[in-house]
Structures are given as C-alpha cells and as structure tokens.
Amino acid sequence: MSWRPLLRVSAALLLGGCTVVEYRYPASWDALPPAPQGCAQLAGTYSDRGEAGAEASETPSLAYQLFGPNSPWEKAASVKLELPNAESLVVTVSDSSGPIVSRLLKVSADEFACKAGRLVVRGKRWIATDLVTGRQGFVVELAAASRYLVAKVNEETYGTLFVVVPIAGTAQHWYRFARTGS
C-alpha cells in the first residue's frame, strides 16, 4: 500500500487556510439615522464608485458588490435602484452612454428583502481568478444616510487556492455611494 496519496491529501488539508476580515463602521462618517418604515427612500440613482472607511484603500464599486466579478462592473458609472412594488427590486447599471445591465430581484426568490427600512440583497456566485476558484455567498445591506447609500457587505467564500489547497474566509466591509439622482 502506498502512503503517497494519503500524504498529499494530508498536506493539502494542513496547508488549508482560513481568514476573517471585519471592518467597523467608519467613525468619520455620520451615524446611520433611524430607518423609516419601508424602503422607498432608497430608490434613486447612485454613483457606482464609492468610498470605503479609513482602514481600506480600495475604491469600491456598487455594481461589483451587487452583481459580482463576472459582470460589467468595470464600465459602470451609476446604479439605479427602483422599487416598483413591495415584491420587486430593479437594479440598473449604466455607463456614460446608458444602461449596460439590469436585473429584477424578487422577494419570493429570496433575492432581496426590505427589513426595518433597509434593503437586504443576498445571493451566491462562483468566483474564478488566476489563483482561487470557489463559491461565495454575499449579503449586501443598503441604508440611507443623508446624501449617501451606505452598504454593509458580508461575504463568505469557500474554495481552493492553486486548485489543491482548501481555503475559507469571511469578510465584512462598509462602503458608501453618493446619491446622484432620485
């Protein structure tokens, strides 16, 4: 009996990684006001590129957070949120020449919910990069704060690094995006 296959599996399991990243709500931002009933106040158009808290150096994209890396998020200039009724959320991403992608989310499909005046968008997506492949679950909680849309993004990712090393990670980020229209 050869021990090599068992050693390879054991090495892969021992080399597996886990990470947790959790940023706090940025102290430099205005506190989130108490949310009114319903989510109608969140309907509007927002800049796609936003800002993260002081701890992060990235420039977040609202389209990326909602649609993931396999979407045309790099071309996005704005994101429009429409609530035609209590059961539907229409998200339209536009570039400088007009809409490039639109998606209808339904409460009945558990794709979004309005909870305590906040829109909660959730889903799962496949990720594939040069180094990592796997599955990511996400929850994006959207709230109104003066002239911004504040997004609390929670992600859980499970996959492999270099196709052999198992990895798992969770992350929580805070972003905000300027309102550009109603």
Side-chain angles (χ1 to χ4, degrees):
M1 180 173 149
S2 175
W3 290 96
R4 283 189 176 175
L6 181 59
L7 287 174
R8 287 184 185 141
V9 170
S10 297
L13 291 175
L14 290 173
L15 292 174
C18 180
T19 184
V20 176
V21 176
E22 187 171 316
Y23 293 105
R24 294 176 188 247
Y25 186 81
S28 61
W29 295 358
D30 292 338
L32 288 175
Q37 290 295 331
C39 290
Q41 77 282 1
L42 297 168
T45 304
Y46 300 90
S47 174
D48 177 66
R49 297 305 193 267
E51 58 186 275
E55 297 117 358
S57 60
E58 71 220 63
T59 302
S61 162
L62 182 54
Y64 182 93
Q65 301 310 316
L66 296 171
F67 293 130
N70 299 323
S71 69
W73 69 272
E74 292 170 317
K75 300 175 188 174
S78 65
V79 176
K80 184 175 185 179
L81 304 177
E82 298 174 277
L83 293 153
N85 56 56
E87 296 295 313
S88 303
L89 170 64
V90 179
V91 182
T92 304
V93 178
S94 298
D95 64 9
S96 57
S97 62
I100 54 176
V101 66
S102 187
R103 185 164 167 212
L104 172 64
L105 305 176
K106 297 294 233 170
V107 168
S108 59
D110 199 31
E111 296 170 315
F112 93 97
C114 178
K115 293 185 179 178
R118 306 216 187 320
L119 280 174
V120 180
V121 178
R122 73 183 81 202
K124 294 182 189 293
R125 54 188 167 224
W126 290 101
I127 55 170
T129 67
D130 294 339
L131 303 175
V132 176
T133 58
R135 188 84 165 142
Q136 183 178 65
F138 66 94
V139 177
V140 180
E141 185 178 324
L142 302 170
S146 65
R147 62 185 198 278
Y148 293 100
L149 179 72
V150 174
K152 176 183 173 186
V153 179
N154 289 296
E155 300 166 325
E156 289 183 349
T157 306
Y158 303 94
T160 59
L161 180 66
F162 304 117
V163 187
V164 238
V165 180
I167 58 170
T170 62
Q172 177 180 290
H173 300 276
W174 288 92
Y175 305 123
R176 70 180 182 179
F177 304 91
R179 182 183 284 268
T180 59
S182 53

